[in-house]
């Protein structure tokens, strides 16, 4: 009888152990399923935030300095936070990187599997990437014919312009700091300073000109005085 009681006690302990293990396994499974469900539910919110960043970049012609700027400017209502923490933004070339320190590495790994383009880096951060909008990249790459008052750099060259022997026609005003040319045909021009080894000019109108070390205006006045004296001398019958 005592042996039978001992067997019943052992069987009861084994049954309780199996039941406890089953409960623990069920709890772990349910917790994992809940986390996966939350990750799936967070997917549209995460994609909405990434789309808002791209749209902000396109409209403002710059990436946001913080995610709160998306809220203040009305691009999103709230920042996606899979767990408590602060997103860190880093701009690299034409890509904006978002990093959120992971409080639970397993949760971060599962979240990265749910959000396209996300991954967990070596410092245990969930990272997302937003690339510069293609439209904006193309706008910045080409020189525009029309004026964009919000982006004056669209009408500015970033490299030297090589015409490859072709003419530049119908130019209005040409403003330059320095002009180097082998030959030039100019109907009318205004220069602050001209330096030339040789020049052939039909008519020259200058307020101040110097030839060598002599002032052209003073020379012209002196020539005029000599001419008047010569004419006076001729009128008096002298200077033969």
């Amino acid at each position: 009888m005592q042996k039978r009681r001992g067997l019943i006690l052992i069987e009861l302990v084994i049954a309780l152990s199996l039941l406890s293990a089953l409960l623990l396994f069920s709890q772990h499974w349910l917790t994992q399923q809940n986390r996966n469900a939350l990750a799936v539910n967070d997917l549209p919110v995460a994609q909405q935030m990434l789309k808002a960043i791209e749209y902000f970049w396109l409209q403002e012609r710059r990436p946001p300095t913080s995610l709160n700027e998306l809220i203040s400017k009305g691009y999103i209502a709230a920042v996606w936070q899979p767990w408590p923490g602060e997103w860190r933004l880093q701009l690299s070339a034409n890509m904006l990187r978002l990093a959120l320190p992971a409080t639970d590495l397993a949760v971060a790994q599962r979240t990265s599997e749910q959000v396209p383009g996300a991954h967990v880096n070596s410092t245990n951060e969930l990272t997302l990437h937003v690339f510069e909008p293609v439209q904006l990249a193309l706008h910045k790459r080409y020189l525009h014919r029309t004026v964009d008052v919000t982006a004056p750099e669209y009408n500015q060259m970033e490299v030297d312009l090589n015409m490859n022997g072709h003419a530049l026609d119908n130019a209005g005003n040409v403003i330059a700091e320095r002009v180097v040319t082998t030959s030039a045909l100019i109907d009318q021009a205004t220069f602050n300073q001209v330096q030339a080894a040789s020049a052939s000019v039909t008519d020259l109108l200058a307020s101040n000109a110097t030839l060598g070390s002599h002032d052209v205006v003073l020379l012209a006045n002196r020539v005029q005085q000599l001419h008047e004296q010569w004419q006076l001398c001729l009128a008096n019958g002298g200077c033969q």
Side-chain angles (χ1 to χ4, degrees):
M1 189 66 180
Q2 292 180 353
K3 183 177 180 181
R4 180 60 182 167
R5 290 179 179 176
L7 291 175
I8 293 175
L9 182 59
I10 293 174
E11 292 172 353
L12 182 60
V13 171
I14 294 174
L16 290 175
S17 300
L18 293 175
L19 182 60
S20 299
L22 181 61
L23 290 175
L24 289 174
F25 176 78
S26 300
Q27 183 181 7
H28 177 73
W29 183 83
L30 289 174
T31 302
Q32 184 174 357
Q33 292 300 315
N34 289 333
R35 288 176 176 175
N36 292 338
L38 289 175
V40 172
N41 293 333
D42 282 346
L43 177 59
V45 183
Q47 291 179 331
Q48 181 183 5
M49 186 180 73
L50 296 178
K51 289 292 184 182
I53 294 175
E54 184 177 358
Y55 187 65
F56 179 99
W57 201 337
L58 179 61
Q59 294 297 316
E60 306 292 335
R61 290 186 170 86
R62 63 173 180 84
T65 56
S66 68
L67 295 182
N68 290 330
E69 193 174 10
L70 299 175
I71 300 176
S72 63
K73 290 183 177 292
Y75 288 90
I76 55 175
V79 175
W80 175 57
Q81 292 287 156
W83 53 79
E86 183 176 355
W87 286 98
R88 178 172 55 85
L89 278 61
Q90 181 181 3
L91 181 63
S92 176
N94 62 337
M95 180 184 67
L96 182 66
R97 180 181 292 106
L98 294 81
L100 179 66
T103 56
D104 188 325
L105 187 58
V107 175
Q109 290 288 359
R110 283 192 295 271
T111 305
S112 66
E113 295 172 359
Q114 297 293 332
V115 180
H119 75 279
V120 179
N121 59 19
S122 58
T123 57
N124 296 335
E125 291 178 319
L126 176 66
T127 59
L128 305 174
H129 304 87
V130 179
F131 290 92
E132 182 181 18
V134 176
Q135 303 95 313
L136 187 59
L138 292 177
H139 275 298
K140 293 168 60 178
R141 185 173 181 179
Y142 297 104
L143 187 66
H144 287 224
R145 295 177 56 196
T146 57
V147 177
D148 190 338
V149 294
T150 62
E153 65 274 10
Y154 289 171
N155 302 112
Q156 298 173 355
M157 294 294 297
E158 295 184 357
V159 296
D160 294 337
L161 183 62
N162 188 342
M163 298 301 296
N164 195 27
H166 296 281
L168 184 63
D169 298 327
N170 298 324
N173 295 330
V174 178
I175 302 175
E177 295 180 357
R178 183 169 177 263
V179 177
V180 179
T181 178
T182 55
S183 62
L185 178 60
I186 304 173
D187 293 333
Q188 183 179 358
T190 302
F191 300 99
N192 293 328
Q193 182 179 1
V194 177
Q195 294 180 353
S198 62
S200 177
V201 182
T202 303
D203 295 319
L204 177 63
L205 177 62
S207 59
N208 185 15
T210 302
L211 294 178
S213 59
H214 303 284
D215 191 318
V216 174
V217 176
L218 294 178
L219 291 175
N221 292 335
R222 182 57 179 163
V223 170
Q224 181 66 25
Q225 291 175 1
L226 292 175
H227 178 72
E228 292 175 355
Q229 292 176 2
W230 177 260
Q231 293 297 328
L232 181 60
C233 183
L234 291 177
N236 293 331
C239 302
Q240 297 298 326

